[in-house]
Amino acid sequence: NAGVTQTPKFQVLKTGQSMTLQCAQDMNHEYMSWYRQDPGMGLRLIHYSVGAGITDQGEVPNGYNVSRSTTEDFPLRLLSAAPSQTSVYFCASSEDLIGNSPLHFGNGTRLTVT
Amino acid sequence: GESVGLHLPTLSVQEGDNSIINCAYSNSASDYFIWYKQESGKGPQFIIDIRSNMDKRQGQRVTVLLNKTVKHLSLQIAATQPGDSAVYFCAEIPETGANNLFFGTGTRLTVIP
């Protein structure tokens, strides 16, 4: 199993550009989520999904959209990138609700917005 | 070696010694705790978890201790190896049924050969 796969690994955007960060998992996990990691701030939840067709906001959702059309995929969209969105983004999945099973993370996308 | 979570973000230990990484949490209703290891350029990797109805859980070379009275969590690594060098995060579920893990800022463990 590949686990959680994120693409691209690195991306540079100009302010105002849009892009989609891809996330796919092959473990048939129902729960998927996106976190951002900034120096000195730990990981913070952006959006999550408890199953196909269901998404909800996390701690820092502004500036990001998500959709969950299949169990496997959970893309994160930046509609108009801002320098404050420079960060490392991690996608994660778990078999069940995160209180019942641990999150498994991808290796991240490092995004720089200039 | 021993660290006190957020106030000492780095910990250096000699290879072969035991490591203790500490984490304090503030929510007495927190129900589930997880330790993650993150190596440079990689995503966090699950190490061990513990529920609030337990005070100790052991894995391979790792032990997690939970003290609910003082809201303190620790990760003990036995016979620390160079491959254990990484940043270690504790994370908590703030309440039963919540869908968010709250992460600490991490402790960087450096193993000295």
Side-chain angles (χ1 to χ4, degrees):
Chain A
N1 284 345
V4 179
T5 302
Q6 292 183 238
T7 56
K9 293 188 187 305
F10 301 94
Q11 183 70 50
V12 179
L13 292 178
K14 295 187 188 302
T15 298
Q17 287 185 316
S18 63
M19 80 159 295
T20 299
L21 281 64
Q22 301 292 344
C23 176
Q25 52 91 9
D26 60 0
M27 298 173 283
N28 202 33
H29 286 174
E30 290 295 325
Y31 179 93
M32 295 186 74
S33 56
W34 278 100
Y35 284 82
R36 60 179 288 173
Q37 184 174 37
D38 301 296
M41 299 189 74
L43 288 93
R44 293 179 293 167
L45 181 67
I46 304 172
H47 285 284
Y48 67 94
S49 169
V50 299
I54 306 169
T55 63
D56 207 343
Q57 296 181 348
E59 187 182 355
V60 288
N62 292 340
Y64 308 96
N65 284 344
V66 292
S67 60
R68 184 94 180 272
S69 57
T70 67
T71 299
E72 293 78 19
D73 300 299
F74 191 44
L76 178 71
R77 297 184 187 86
L78 284 70
L79 297 180
S80 179
S84 62
Q85 293 178 305
T86 294
S87 188
V88 182
Y89 291 85
F90 289 100
C91 180
S93 72
S94 68
E95 184 176 3
D96 197 348
L97 294 175
I98 55 173
N100 297 332
S101 58
L103 278 176
H104 298 273
F105 286 84
N107 282 328
T109 294
R110 184 175 294 274
L111 175 68
T112 302
V113 183
T114 62
Chain B
E2 183 171 342
S3 75
V4 187
L6 301 179
H7 300 290
L8 284 174
T10 62
L11 175 66
S12 296
V13 299
Q14 291 290 139
E15 181 178 357
D17 286 353
N18 296 333
S19 302
I20 300 174
I21 301 171
N22 296 306
C23 182
Y25 63 96
S26 58
N27 187 348
S28 57
S30 291
D31 181 54
Y32 180 55
F33 303 88
I34 309 177
W35 280 100
Y36 284 92
K37 171 186 180 183
Q38 187 175 24
E39 296 174 283
S40 180
K42 295 187 177 181
Q45 177 185 1
F46 169 79
I47 303 173
I48 192 167
D49 57 2
I50 188 168
R51 295 205 173 276
S52 59
N53 60 354
M54 303 172 68
D55 53 20
K56 180 180 180 178
R57 192 167 188 211
Q58 289 184 290
Q60 187 175 14
R61 279 200 311 117
V62 295
T63 300
V64 56
L65 299 177
L66 176 62
N67 185 330
K68 294 180 286 294
T69 302
V70 295
K71 291 183 281 190
H72 183 269
L73 189 71
S74 68
L75 176 72
Q76 301 177 0
I77 305 173
T80 314
Q81 303 168 359
D84 294 327
S85 291
V87 177
Y88 289 81
F89 293 96
C90 63
E92 62 179 302
I93 299 274
E95 59 187 6
T96 303
N99 280 304
N100 190 10
L101 270 179
F102 284 97
F103 285 80
T105 54
T107 297
R108 180 176 296 280
L109 174 66
T110 301
V111 181
I112 303 166

